[in-house]
Amino acid sequence: MSALKTSVTNASETSVTGAGTAADEAVAGIHAAADRARIASRRLARANRAWKDLGLREIGKNLVAKRELILAANAGDVATGRSKGTSAAMLDRLTLTPERIEGLAQALEKLAGLPDPVGSVARGQTLPNGLRLRQVHVPLGVVAAIYEARPNVTVDIAGLALKSGNSVILRGGSAAAQTNAVLVDIIRDSLEAVGLPADAVQGVDAYGRAGANALMKARGKVDVLIPRGGRDLIQTVVANAAVPVIETGEGNVHIYLDRSAPVEMAVDILLNAKTQRPSVCNTVETLLVHRDAEAASDVLAALAAAGVRLHADDRVRAALPAGIESQAAGEDDWGREYMDLDLAVAMVDDMDEALDHIRRWSTGHTEAIITNDLANAERFIAEIDSAAVIVNASTRFTDGGELGLGAEVGISTQKLHARGPMGLRELTTTKWIVQGDGHIRI
């Protein structure tokens, strides 16, 4: 039975028994899903790497085989979103194409090729008294994710959860409901086909907002909750959840164009960081230009020619080459995640001013410097306190797949448990194994 069908059935059964309200039905349904996920997680904890990798490859194969079904469902979601006036950036996030589906399958194949983190030894020793100690990586257990308008996240999180031995409960939001329902069905059927528990992956979109609220309050049922999306979604979860939360952050990403930045390199990096896929969280949103940066005019001209709308401070506007349009930047531009072809641009006198600006406005996601000055690069690395710091490369590399992690659950901007792209290792915790030969403490 599919995740969506299971959710609907459970909701109906709860209603018949007289639970009363949608909230009550959602709580009962979420708790039932979590109980099934717990049982499935115990089976997954015993699955070896070969078995889990077989499941990943089966999911990838079926995504490609059933892509027309996926695309039809996705077209319905996109059409609904467009009719509701959804922004172009959000529609881009929502849209799946044959190429993107193939990319999801390839990501699962890469994931299958990665080492299994479960059982790996973090540290170990034999004590003077003969006790043998090991600290080993183990699954978190039942992981829940709340996200919006990103059907690719459904596959990414399910794949990472499977490989790391976790069960996962997915709440993907109404914008991608049709697509997510099909994807979850395919994933569950694929798991069953190789003998893995289908309940390791469950969708709970059928319970709506009440289901999301119930998921946030399911302490003791869910081991960790990961929100992924815009600021409003993330802060709502952080503020209201009783379940432990790993906070993934919005990406108000900065690039500092140092005085010594090579022109050609700077143009290539900025174009890639802003225009390759502007709707994602590792896209640059603010460019800080050193007042003497030789590359500044070429960079701004190239960005404008690529259709980027410049929101510039007075100093930048005064220095813009003739013919390049801009609009005056306001205070709200510096803290804004545009997720579109817009870029805030400010001129700074030196690195001190650039660092101060970043410290004030950064969300702690990713910051980059373009420079030929080794000392400046090293200072930037040392003083920037973000999850990812990049030197002379595009910010688009802050991505689990690009960094060799296979995929990511999200980009954590907090400092406890996980920081940066969250791959397989970040979906595990550790436990101590102590082995003795009749030892007693004296």
Side-chain angles (χ1 to χ4, degrees), residues 59 120 255:
I59 295 169
S120 63
I255 291 180

Side-chain angles (χ1 to χ4, degrees), residues 334-369:
W334 310 123
R336 188 172 175 185
E337 188 181 21
Y338 295 106
M339 305 181 80
D340 207 341
L341 284 175
D342 294 87
L343 182 69
V345 189
M347 186 175 291
V348 295
D349 290 328
D350 49 33
M351 181 175 282
D352 287 331
E353 190 176 344
L355 292 172
D356 286 344
H357 184 106
I358 293 171
R359 291 184 189 113
R360 178 179 180 187
W361 298 106
S362 172
T363 56
H365 190 293
T366 300
E367 325 300 344
I369 183 173

Side-chain angles (χ1 to χ4, degrees), residues 99-424:
E99 293 76 21
R100 288 182 180 179
I101 292 172
E102 182 64 37
L104 291 173
Q106 291 174 1
L108 291 170
E109 180 62 36
K110 291 179 180 177
L111 197 57
L114 294 176
D116 189 342
V118 178
S120 63
V121 179
R123 53 182 166 168
Q125 62 177 316
T126 300
L127 297 179
N129 64 5
L131 279 176
R132 300 178 300 280
L133 306 182
R134 286 177 294 149
Q135 185 186 24
V136 300
H137 288 274
V138 296
L140 289 167
V142 177
V143 177
I146 298 178
Y147 52 102
E148 53 190 2
R150 292 289 296 273
N152 64 298
V153 173
T154 300
V155 178
D156 288 345
I157 295 181
L160 285 165
L162 173 60
K163 179 83 174 193
S164 56
N166 295 288
S167 290
V168 66
I169 300 173
L170 302 169
R171 203 284 181 178
S174 59
Q178 297 180 63
T179 312
N180 286 335
V182 172
L183 291 173
V184 170
D185 278 352
I186 292 171
I187 293 167
R188 286 170 60 88
D189 290 345
S190 299
L191 295 178
E192 285 189 330
V194 300
L196 290 167
D199 284 335
V201 178
Q202 298 179 71
V204 293
D205 287 356
Y207 293 107
R209 185 169 297 178
N213 291 334
L215 204 55
M216 287 186 259
K217 302 298 183 183
R219 190 172 183 87
K221 297 283 187 178
V222 171
D223 293 302
V224 66
L225 175 59
I226 302 171
R228 181 169 173 178
R231 168 180 281 272
D232 289 344
L233 169 69
I234 293 167
Q235 293 307 313
T236 295
V237 173
V238 170
N240 293 285
V243 172
V245 173
I246 299 177
E247 182 176 352
T248 62
E250 61 180 322
N252 185 22
V253 172
H254 298 77
I255 291 180
Y256 171 49
L257 191 68
D258 193 26
R259 175 169 51 190
S260 63
V263 175
E264 185 175 355
M265 177 194 290
V267 169
D268 289 345
I269 288 174
L270 262 298
L271 284 176
N272 182 262
K274 182 71 256 186
T275 68
Q276 190 206 33
R277 196 172 179 193
S279 65
V280 293
C281 65
N282 55 21
T283 295
V284 63
E285 303 290 16
T286 298
L287 172 63
L288 301 174
V289 180
H290 190 285
R291 65 181 181 185
D292 298 323
E294 181 183 348
S297 294
D298 292 88
V299 164
L300 295 172
L303 288 167
V308 176
R309 295 173 289 272
L310 303 177
H311 302 248
D313 68 7
D314 291 342
R315 296 175 71 189
V316 170
R317 298 187 81 195
L320 280 174
I324 296 180
E325 295 184 359
S326 68
Q327 53 186 288
E331 189 77 358
D332 60 338
D333 284 297
W334 310 123
R336 188 172 175 185
E337 188 181 21
Y338 295 106
M339 305 181 80
D340 207 341
L341 284 175
D342 294 87
L343 182 69
V345 189
M347 186 175 291
V348 295
D349 290 328
D350 49 33
M351 181 175 282
D352 287 331
E353 190 176 344
L355 292 172
D356 286 344
H357 184 106
I358 293 171
R359 291 184 189 113
R360 178 179 180 187
W361 298 106
S362 172
T363 56
H365 190 293
T366 300
E367 325 300 344
I369 183 173
I370 306 175
T371 184
N372 253 348
D373 188 317
L374 180 60
N376 282 352
E378 291 299 328
R379 182 185 175 195
F380 194 84
I381 291 170
E383 294 194 28
I384 289 295
D385 186 20
S386 291
V389 181
I390 295 177
V391 177
N392 293 340
S394 172
T395 58
R396 292 281 287 116
F397 284 106
T398 307
D399 174 88
E402 293 295 326
L403 296 183
L405 305 180
E408 68 187 36
V409 176
I411 309 290
S412 171
T413 55
Q414 64 185 37
K415 298 186 180 182
L416 297 180
H417 180 71
R419 196 179 193 195
M422 293 176 57
L424 294 171

Side-chain angles (χ1 to χ4, degrees), residues 19-66:
T21 68
D24 292 334
E25 293 173 7
V27 169
I30 293 297
H31 285 192
D35 289 342
R36 294 192 298 271
R38 182 71 62 192
I39 294 170
S41 73
R42 293 173 186 143
R43 289 180 59 191
L44 278 183
R46 301 192 302 271
N48 60 25
R49 174 183 173 176
W51 197 1
K52 292 186 289 187
D53 290 347
L54 182 64
L56 291 170
R57 292 188 169 104
E58 184 72 10
I59 295 169
K61 180 186 75 175
N62 288 326
L63 288 175
V64 174
K66 298 183 178 181

